[in-house]
Amino acid sequence: MPVEIPESHKDLLERPLIAALATTMPDGTPQVTAVWFNYADGLIYFNSARGRVKDRNIRARPYVAMMVYDPQSPTRYIQIRGPIIEQDEEHGPEHIDFLSRRYDGKPWTPVPGQRRVRYALRPERVDTHT
């Protein structure tokens, strides 16, 4: 069941901060990657190239954890766990361009042959620390 993001920590999802995304490897061990993301309509969207480790892990085991901390107060963070409810290749290229402009201030430079995927994470469990 989806949960609301607490107002006290919503700013961490609205600012262009880097998230640590945890997926699960085939042998059950965790794998963590830094990702760009955005928060909209109660969902967290992030992006990857098709075939990367996180993409393969999500396709096989579509439940992830994500943590974002406040660079001004490193003990203040939000952790979100939940299912990936969307894996969208049609909007992947425009989404990575949106994220590139959000984080780098410039358009995304496409990589020949690369297929971008936009994922939607539905928060199911949210933990915060101040």
Side-chain angles (χ1 to χ4, degrees):
M1 175 169 272
V3 298
E4 293 290 320
I5 301 299
E7 286 297 324
S8 63
H9 286 71
K10 198 175 273 188
D11 68 293
L12 297 177
L13 302 181
E14 293 169 342
R15 293 160 50 195
L17 300 174
I18 302 296
L21 176 75
T23 62
T24 306
M25 298 292 290
D27 65 1
T29 59
Q31 185 268 342
V32 179
T33 306
V35 295
W36 291 346
F37 71 95
N38 70 292
Y39 175 68
D41 302 320
L43 300 174
I44 298 162
Y45 296 93
F46 61 95
N47 201 294
S48 182
R50 176 122 193 203
R52 288 193 176 154
V53 170
K54 68 180 156 289
D55 175 70
R56 294 191 314 265
N57 287 347
I58 289 168
R59 288 178 190 281
R61 292 159 298 283
Y63 199 91
V64 302
M66 178 180 276
M67 192 272 295
V68 182
Y69 80 95
D70 186 342
Q72 281 77 45
S73 180
T75 58
R76 180 174 176 258
Y77 65 85
I78 185 168
Q79 177 195 225
I80 300 161
R81 294 187 308 225
I84 298 300
I85 61 166
E86 176 184 289
Q87 299 174 37
D88 180 0
E89 291 186 37
E90 180 183 346
H91 296 98
E94 69 187 53
H95 184 246
I96 193 61
D97 186 65
F98 167 80
L99 291 176
S100 182
R101 292 170 192 273
R102 171 178 157 91
Y103 282 87
D104 276 349
K106 59 186 178 184
W108 178 256
T109 303
V111 176
Q114 187 180 76
R115 291 172 31 203
R116 301 301 305 194
V117 183
R118 179 184 72 178
Y119 306 91
L121 164 59
R122 184 179 66 219
E124 202 171 75
R125 169 112 182 162
V126 175
D127 298 300
T128 62
H129 190 268
T130 311

